[in-house]
Structures are given as structure tokens and as C-alpha cells.
Amino acid sequence: MLPLNLPLYSFRFKEKDGKRLVFDRLRKKYVMLTPEEWVRQNVIEFLVNEKGFPAARIGNEISLRQNGLIRRCDSVVYDTFGMPLLIAEYKAPAVEITQSVFDQIARYVWELKVEYLLVSNGMKHFCCHLDYESMQMSYLREIPVYKDICCID
């Protein structure tokens, strides 16, 4: 897999039926290693190891209900009360994150009422804070540390 704009992390891999799999420590199973999955696994490690996000408060491939519809989120980070705090969406490294891609993702994130949105293709990472009082989305200079965005036990 391509090197990403993230620190190097170690992963467990295996082959099955001619396909390469990577172990997802959050789902506790091997999953197909696609370019998007490679980004997911690396971003999760970054959040846990560099930004102090508790692995137990992150879920991959999470379904959330929005206006009677089920939305699948690539990753969801929960606060100390078990409420969604941040939604992360991943693209393959070859996919450019344009404003239209970002706007599409942001549209349903507004409906889910999370405070933060993270979008990454492994090369570029965008993190935003959503302010519901002013209905403004502000881009952050970097991905915040967990304790700075969440109540700590």
C-alpha cells in the first residue's frame, strides 16, 4: 500500500482467497485491504496514538439513523456519554478531496448533530468544528487532541 501523510504504524495482514486482508482492531476482525481501508486503519492509529482518542470510544462502519434513514459512517468517535462527537469519512489516496466532496459529507453530518467532522484521503486531512448556534463550519488547523474536545471522565 501507498505511504500516507501519517506516521508509520504496524498492522497485521493475511491472505485469503487471493485477497489481502488487514486486521481492524476496532471491529476485531480481518477486513479487505482496499485503498480506503488503508486510510481508515492509519487514521485510527493516528487518532489513538498521537491524539489520545480512546479506542473504546471509536467505532468503524457505524450506522446512524437520520430522519428515518440509516446513514453509514466510516468511523464515529463518541464522547464520554456515548453520544457521537466526531464523524470521520475516508477516501482512497487517489481521490482528491474537493469542496463538493466535503460539502456532500458535511450535509448529512449537520443533520446528525456531531460537533466535529474529519475527512481524509491519507494525504490530506481536514477537520472542522460545527457550530449549531451560528450554523457555521470552521476548519481547524489540525486534528484536535481528544481531551480538548470531549469531557474527560
Side-chain angles (χ1 to χ4, degrees):
M1 284 273 124
L2 282 171
L4 302 175
N5 184 20
L6 291 162
L8 293 176
Y9 300 106
S10 296
F11 297 97
R12 294 182 350 215
F13 301 97
K14 76 177 187 179
E15 298 281 330
K16 183 176 180 183
D17 300 327
K19 301 198 188 236
R20 191 143 194 227
L21 307 174
V22 62
F23 188 77
D24 181 330
R25 72 171 172 146
L26 300 180
R27 290 181 273 183
K28 296 181 177 29
K29 67 179 185 176
Y30 281 91
V31 296
M32 180 96 61
L33 181 59
T34 63
E36 183 179 303
E37 190 62 44
W38 182 239
V39 171
R40 178 196 331 264
Q41 295 304 317
N42 278 272
V43 169
I44 293 298
E45 290 302 316
F46 178 78
L47 293 176
V48 171
N49 293 302
E50 315 305 326
K51 297 296 181 171
F53 282 60
R57 292 201 179 126
I58 306 172
N60 283 338
E61 296 287 331
I62 300 298
S63 294
L64 296 175
R65 185 174 297 278
Q66 171 197 7
N67 297 331
L69 300 173
I70 301 296
R71 298 283 189 178
R72 184 205 49 83
C73 302
D74 289 339
S75 296
V76 177
V77 176
Y78 298 92
D79 66 15
T80 55
F81 304 104
M83 299 301 296
L85 174 68
L86 177 147
I87 289 179
E89 292 291 324
Y90 311 109
K91 299 293 182 189
V95 175
E96 185 179 355
I97 300 173
T98 63
Q99 188 63 45
S100 64
V101 167
F102 204 88
D103 290 346
Q104 175 192 3
I105 295 166
R107 255 192 300 280
Y108 78 81
V109 170
W110 278 106
E111 296 292 323
L112 295 170
K113 302 285 191 237
V114 295
E115 285 189 56
Y116 296 91
L117 168 63
L118 170 63
V119 181
S120 177
N121 66 2
M123 304 309 286
K124 292 184 179 178
H125 322 285
F126 298 93
C127 192
C128 298
H129 178 258
L130 297 112
D131 183 332
Y132 292 92
E133 286 184 29
S134 66
M135 293 303 290
Q136 296 290 318
M137 180 171 67
S138 56
Y139 289 86
L140 305 177
R141 292 182 143 209
E142 64 181 54
I143 299 168
V145 173
Y146 185 79
K147 70 179 178 73
D148 291 342
I149 64 171
C150 185
C151 304
I152 299 296
D153 300 323

Coordinates of all heavy atoms in Angstrom, one line a residue, residues 27-78:
R27 N -13.0 -3.4 15.0 CA -14.0 -4.4 14.7 C -13.6 -5.8 15.1 O -14.3 -6.8 15.0 CB -14.3 -4.4 13.2 CG -15.1 -3.1 12.8 CD -15.4 -3.1 11.3 NE -14.3 -2.5 10.6 CZ -14.2 -2.3 9.3 NH1 -15.3 -2.6 8.5 NH2 -13.2 -1.8 8.7
K28 N -12.3 -6.0 15.5 CA -11.7 -7.2 15.9 C -11.9 -8.3 14.9 O -12.2 -9.5 15.2 CB -12.3 -7.7 17.3 CG -12.0 -6.7 18.4 CD -12.5 -7.1 19.7 CE -12.2 -6.3 20.9 NZ -12.0 -4.9 20.7
K29 N -11.6 -8.0 13.6 CA -11.6 -9.0 12.6 C -10.8 -8.5 11.4 O -10.5 -7.3 11.3 CB -13.1 -9.2 12.1 CG -13.7 -8.1 11.5 CD -15.2 -8.4 11.0 CE -15.8 -7.3 10.3 NZ -17.1 -7.7 9.8
Y30 N -10.5 -9.4 10.5 CA -9.8 -9.0 9.3 C -10.8 -8.5 8.3 O -11.9 -9.1 8.1 CB -9.0 -10.3 8.7 CG -7.7 -10.5 9.4 CD1 -7.7 -11.4 10.5 CD2 -6.6 -9.9 9.0 CE1 -6.5 -11.7 11.2 CE2 -5.4 -10.2 9.7 CZ -5.4 -11.0 10.8 OH -4.2 -11.3 11.4
V31 N -10.4 -7.5 7.6 CA -11.3 -6.9 6.5 C -10.4 -6.7 5.3 O -9.2 -6.6 5.3 CB -11.9 -5.5 7.0 CG1 -12.8 -5.7 8.2 CG2 -10.8 -4.5 7.3
M32 N -11.1 -6.6 4.1 CA -10.5 -6.4 2.9 C -9.6 -5.2 2.8 O -10.1 -4.1 3.3 CB -11.5 -6.4 1.7 CG -10.9 -6.2 0.4 SD -10.7 -7.8 -0.5 CE -12.4 -8.3 -0.6
L33 N -8.4 -5.3 2.4 CA -7.5 -4.2 2.4 C -7.7 -3.4 1.0 O -7.1 -3.8 0.0 CB -6.0 -4.6 2.5 CG -5.0 -3.5 2.5 CD1 -5.3 -2.5 3.6 CD2 -3.6 -4.1 2.6
T34 N -8.5 -2.4 1.1 CA -8.7 -1.5 -0.1 C -8.0 -0.2 0.2 O -7.5 0.0 1.4 CB -10.2 -1.2 -0.2 OG1 -10.6 -0.5 0.9 CG2 -11.1 -2.5 -0.5
P35 N -7.8 0.6 -0.8 CA -7.1 1.9 -0.5 C -7.8 2.7 0.6 O -7.2 3.3 1.4 CB -7.1 2.6 -1.9 CG -7.1 1.5 -2.9 CD -7.9 0.4 -2.2
E36 N -9.2 2.7 0.5 CA -9.9 3.5 1.6 C -9.7 2.8 2.9 O -9.6 3.5 3.9 CB -11.4 3.5 1.2 CG -12.2 4.3 2.2 CD -13.7 4.3 1.8 OE1 -14.1 4.7 0.7 OE2 -14.5 3.9 2.7
E37 N -9.7 1.5 3.0 CA -9.5 0.8 4.3 C -8.1 1.1 4.8 O -7.9 1.2 6.0 CB -9.7 -0.7 4.1 CG -9.7 -1.4 5.4 CD -10.9 -1.0 6.4 OE1 -12.0 -0.8 5.9 OE2 -10.6 -0.8 7.6
W38 N -7.1 1.2 3.9 CA -5.7 1.5 4.4 C -5.7 2.9 5.0 O -5.1 3.1 6.1 CB -4.8 1.5 3.1 CG -3.4 1.8 3.4 CD1 -2.6 2.8 2.9 CD2 -2.5 1.1 4.3 NE1 -1.4 2.7 3.4 CE2 -1.2 1.7 4.2 CE3 -2.7 0.0 5.1 CZ2 -0.1 1.3 5.0 CZ3 -1.6 -0.5 5.9 CH2 -0.3 0.2 5.8
V39 N -6.4 3.9 4.4 CA -6.5 5.2 5.0 C -7.2 5.1 6.4 O -6.7 5.6 7.4 CB -7.3 6.2 4.1 CG1 -7.6 7.5 4.8 CG2 -6.5 6.4 2.8
R40 N -8.4 4.4 6.5 CA -9.1 4.2 7.7 C -8.2 3.7 8.8 O -8.1 4.2 9.9 CB -10.3 3.3 7.6 CG -11.0 3.1 8.9 CD -12.0 1.9 8.9 NE -12.5 1.5 7.6 CZ -13.7 1.9 7.2 NH1 -14.5 2.7 7.9 NH2 -14.2 1.5 6.0
Q41 N -7.5 2.6 8.6 CA -6.7 2.0 9.6 C -5.6 2.9 10.1 O -5.3 3.0 11.3 CB -6.1 0.6 9.1 CG -7.1 -0.4 8.8 CD -8.0 -0.7 10.0 OE1 -7.5 -0.8 11.1 NE2 -9.3 -0.9 9.8
N42 N -5.0 3.6 9.2 CA -3.9 4.6 9.5 C -4.4 5.8 10.3 O -3.8 6.2 11.3 CB -3.1 5.0 8.3 CG -2.1 4.0 7.9 OD1 -1.0 4.0 8.4 ND2 -2.5 3.0 7.0
V43 N -5.5 6.3 9.9 CA -6.1 7.4 10.6 C -6.5 7.0 12.0 O -6.3 7.8 13.0 CB -7.3 8.1 9.9 CG1 -8.0 9.1 10.7 CG2 -6.8 8.7 8.6
I44 N -7.1 5.9 12.2 CA -7.5 5.4 13.5 C -6.3 5.3 14.4 O -6.3 5.7 15.6 CB -8.2 4.0 13.4 CG1 -9.6 4.2 12.7 CG2 -8.4 3.4 14.8 CD1 -10.6 5.1 13.4
E45 N -5.2 4.7 13.9 CA -4.0 4.6 14.7 C -3.5 6.0 15.1 O -3.0 6.2 16.2 CB -2.9 3.8 13.9 CG -3.2 2.3 13.8 CD -3.4 1.6 15.2 OE1 -2.6 1.9 16.1 OE2 -4.3 0.9 15.3
F46 N -3.5 6.9 14.1 CA -3.1 8.3 14.4 C -4.0 8.9 15.5 O -3.4 9.5 16.5 CB -3.2 9.2 13.1 CG -2.9 10.6 13.3 CD1 -1.5 11.0 13.4 CD2 -3.9 11.6 13.5 CE1 -1.2 12.3 13.6 CE2 -3.5 12.9 13.7 CZ -2.2 13.3 13.7
L47 N -5.3 8.7 15.5 CA -6.2 9.3 16.5 C -5.9 8.7 17.9 O -5.8 9.4 18.9 CB -7.6 9.1 16.1 CG -8.2 9.8 14.9 CD1 -9.6 9.4 14.6 CD2 -8.1 11.3 15.1
V48 N -5.7 7.4 17.9 CA -5.4 6.7 19.2 C -4.0 7.0 19.7 O -3.8 7.4 20.9 CB -5.6 5.2 19.0 CG1 -5.1 4.5 20.3 CG2 -7.1 4.9 18.7
N49 N -3.0 6.9 18.9 CA -1.6 7.0 19.3 C -1.1 8.4 19.4 O -0.3 8.7 20.3 CB -0.7 6.2 18.4 CG -0.9 4.7 18.5 OD1 -0.8 4.2 19.6 ND2 -1.3 4.1 17.4
E50 N -1.5 9.3 18.6 CA -1.0 10.7 18.6 C -1.9 11.7 19.2 O -1.5 12.7 19.7 CB -0.7 11.2 17.1 CG 0.0 10.2 16.2 CD 1.3 9.6 16.8 OE1 2.0 10.4 17.5 OE2 1.6 8.4 16.5
K51 N -3.2 11.4 19.1 CA -4.2 12.4 19.6 C -5.0 12.0 20.8 O -5.9 12.7 21.3 CB -5.2 12.8 18.5 CG -4.5 13.4 17.3 CD -3.9 14.8 17.7 CE -3.3 15.5 16.5 NZ -2.9 16.9 16.8
G52 N -4.7 10.8 21.4 CA -5.2 10.4 22.6 C -6.7 10.0 22.6 O -7.4 10.0 23.6
F53 N -7.2 9.6 21.4 CA -8.6 9.2 21.3 C -8.7 7.8 21.9 O -7.9 6.9 21.5 CB -9.1 9.2 19.9 CG -9.4 10.5 19.3 CD1 -8.5 11.5 19.3 CD2 -10.7 10.7 18.8 CE1 -8.8 12.8 18.7 CE2 -11.0 12.0 18.3 CZ -10.1 13.0 18.2
P54 N -9.6 7.5 22.9 CA -9.7 6.1 23.4 C -10.2 5.2 22.3 O -11.3 5.5 21.8 CB -10.7 6.3 24.5 CG -10.8 7.7 24.8 CD -10.4 8.4 23.6
A55 N -9.5 4.1 22.0 CA -10.0 3.2 21.0 C -11.4 2.6 21.4 O -12.2 2.4 20.4 CB -9.0 2.0 20.9
A56 N -11.7 2.5 22.6 CA -13.0 2.0 23.0 C -14.2 3.0 22.7 O -15.3 2.6 22.7 CB -13.0 1.7 24.5
R57 N -13.8 4.2 22.4 CA -14.9 5.2 22.0 C -14.9 5.5 20.5 O -15.5 6.5 20.1 CB -14.6 6.5 22.8 CG -14.9 6.3 24.3 CD -15.1 7.6 25.0 NE -15.4 7.3 26.4 CZ -14.7 7.9 27.4 NH1 -13.8 8.8 27.1 NH2 -15.0 7.5 28.6
I58 N -14.3 4.6 19.7 CA -14.3 4.7 18.3 C -15.0 3.5 17.7 O -14.7 2.4 18.1 CB -12.9 4.9 17.7 CG1 -12.1 6.0 18.4 CG2 -13.0 5.1 16.2 CD1 -10.7 6.1 18.0
G59 N -15.8 3.7 16.7 CA -16.4 2.6 16.0 C -16.2 2.8 14.5 O -16.3 3.9 14.0
N60 N -16.0 1.7 13.8 CA -15.9 1.7 12.4 C -17.1 1.1 11.7 O -17.7 0.2 12.2 CB -14.6 0.9 11.9 CG -13.3 1.6 12.1 OD1 -13.3 2.8 12.2 ND2 -12.3 0.9 12.2
E61 N -17.5 1.7 10.6 CA -18.7 1.2 9.8 C -19.9 1.2 10.7 O -20.6 0.2 10.9 CB -18.4 -0.2 9.2 CG -17.3 -0.3 8.2 CD -17.7 0.4 6.9 OE1 -18.9 0.4 6.5 OE2 -16.8 0.9 6.2
I62 N -20.2 2.4 11.2 CA -21.3 2.6 12.1 C -22.5 3.1 11.4 O -22.4 4.1 10.6 CB -20.9 3.6 13.3 CG1 -19.7 3.0 14.0 CG2 -22.1 3.9 14.2 CD1 -20.0 1.7 14.8
S63 N -23.7 2.6 11.7 CA -25.0 3.1 11.1 C -25.6 4.0 12.1 O -25.8 3.6 13.3 CB -25.9 1.9 10.8 OG -25.3 1.1 9.8
L64 N -26.0 5.1 11.7 CA -26.8 6.1 12.5 C -28.1 6.4 11.8 O -28.1 6.5 10.5 CB -26.0 7.4 12.7 CG -24.7 7.2 13.5 CD1 -23.9 8.6 13.5 CD2 -24.9 6.7 14.9
R65 N -29.1 6.7 12.5 CA -30.4 7.0 11.9 C -30.5 8.5 11.8 O -30.3 9.2 12.7 CB -31.5 6.5 12.8 CG -32.9 6.7 12.2 CD -34.0 6.0 13.1 NE -33.8 4.5 13.1 CZ -34.3 3.7 12.1 NH1 -34.8 4.2 11.1 NH2 -34.1 2.4 12.3
Q66 N -31.0 8.9 10.6 CA -31.2 10.4 10.4 C -32.5 10.5 9.6 O -32.7 10.0 8.5 CB -30.0 10.9 9.5 CG -30.3 12.3 9.0 CD -29.4 12.6 7.8 OE1 -28.6 11.8 7.3 NE2 -29.4 13.9 7.4
N67 N -33.5 11.2 10.3 CA -34.8 11.4 9.7 C -35.4 10.1 9.1 O -35.9 10.1 8.0 CB -34.7 12.5 8.6 CG -34.3 13.8 9.1 OD1 -34.6 14.1 10.3 ND2 -33.6 14.6 8.3
G68 N -35.3 9.0 9.9 CA -35.8 7.8 9.4 C -34.9 7.0 8.5 O -35.3 5.9 8.1
L69 N -33.8 7.6 8.0 CA -32.9 6.9 7.1 C -31.7 6.4 7.9 O -31.3 7.1 8.8 CB -32.5 7.9 6.0 CG -33.6 8.5 5.1 CD1 -33.0 9.5 4.1 CD2 -34.2 7.4 4.3
I70 N -31.2 5.3 7.4 CA -29.9 4.8 8.0 C -28.7 5.4 7.2 O -28.7 5.2 6.0 CB -29.9 3.3 8.0 CG1 -31.1 2.8 8.8 CG2 -28.6 2.8 8.6 CD1 -31.1 3.1 10.3
R71 N -27.8 6.0 7.9 CA -26.6 6.5 7.3 C -25.4 5.7 7.8 O -25.4 5.4 9.0 CB -26.3 8.0 7.7 CG -27.4 8.9 7.2 CD -27.2 9.2 5.7 NE -28.2 10.2 5.4 CZ -28.2 10.7 4.1 NH1 -27.4 10.3 3.2 NH2 -29.1 11.7 3.9
R72 N -24.5 5.3 6.9 CA -23.4 4.5 7.3 C -22.2 5.5 7.4 O -21.9 6.2 6.4 CB -23.0 3.4 6.4 CG -21.9 2.5 6.9 CD -21.1 1.8 5.7 NE -20.8 2.7 4.6 CZ -19.7 3.4 4.5 NH1 -18.9 3.5 5.6 NH2 -19.4 4.1 3.5
C73 N -21.5 5.5 8.5 CA -20.4 6.4 8.7 C -19.1 5.5 8.7 O -19.1 4.5 9.4 CB -20.5 7.2 10.0 SG -22.0 8.2 10.1
D74 N -18.1 6.0 8.1 CA -16.8 5.3 8.1 C -16.3 5.0 9.5 O -16.0 3.9 9.9 CB -15.8 6.0 7.2 CG -16.1 5.9 5.8 OD1 -16.9 5.0 5.3 OD2 -15.6 6.7 5.0
S75 N -16.3 6.1 10.3 CA -15.9 6.0 11.7 C -16.7 7.0 12.5 O -16.9 8.1 12.0 CB -14.4 6.2 12.0 OG -13.6 5.3 11.3
V76 N -17.0 6.6 13.7 CA -17.7 7.6 14.7 C -16.9 7.5 16.0 O -16.5 6.5 16.5 CB -19.1 7.2 14.9 CG1 -19.8 8.1 16.0 CG2 -19.9 7.1 13.6
V77 N -16.6 8.7 16.5 CA -16.0 8.9 17.8 C -17.1 9.4 18.8 O -17.8 10.3 18.4 CB -14.8 9.9 17.8 CG1 -14.2 10.1 19.2 CG2 -13.7 9.4 16.8
Y78 N -17.1 8.7 19.9 CA -18.2 9.0 20.9 C -17.6 9.8 22.1 O -16.4 9.7 22.4 CB -18.8 7.8 21.4 CG -19.5 7.0 20.3 CD1 -18.8 6.0 19.6 CD2 -20.8 7.3 20.0 CE1 -19.5 5.3 18.6 CE2 -21.5 6.6 19.0 CZ -20.8 5.6 18.3 OH -21.4 4.9 17.3

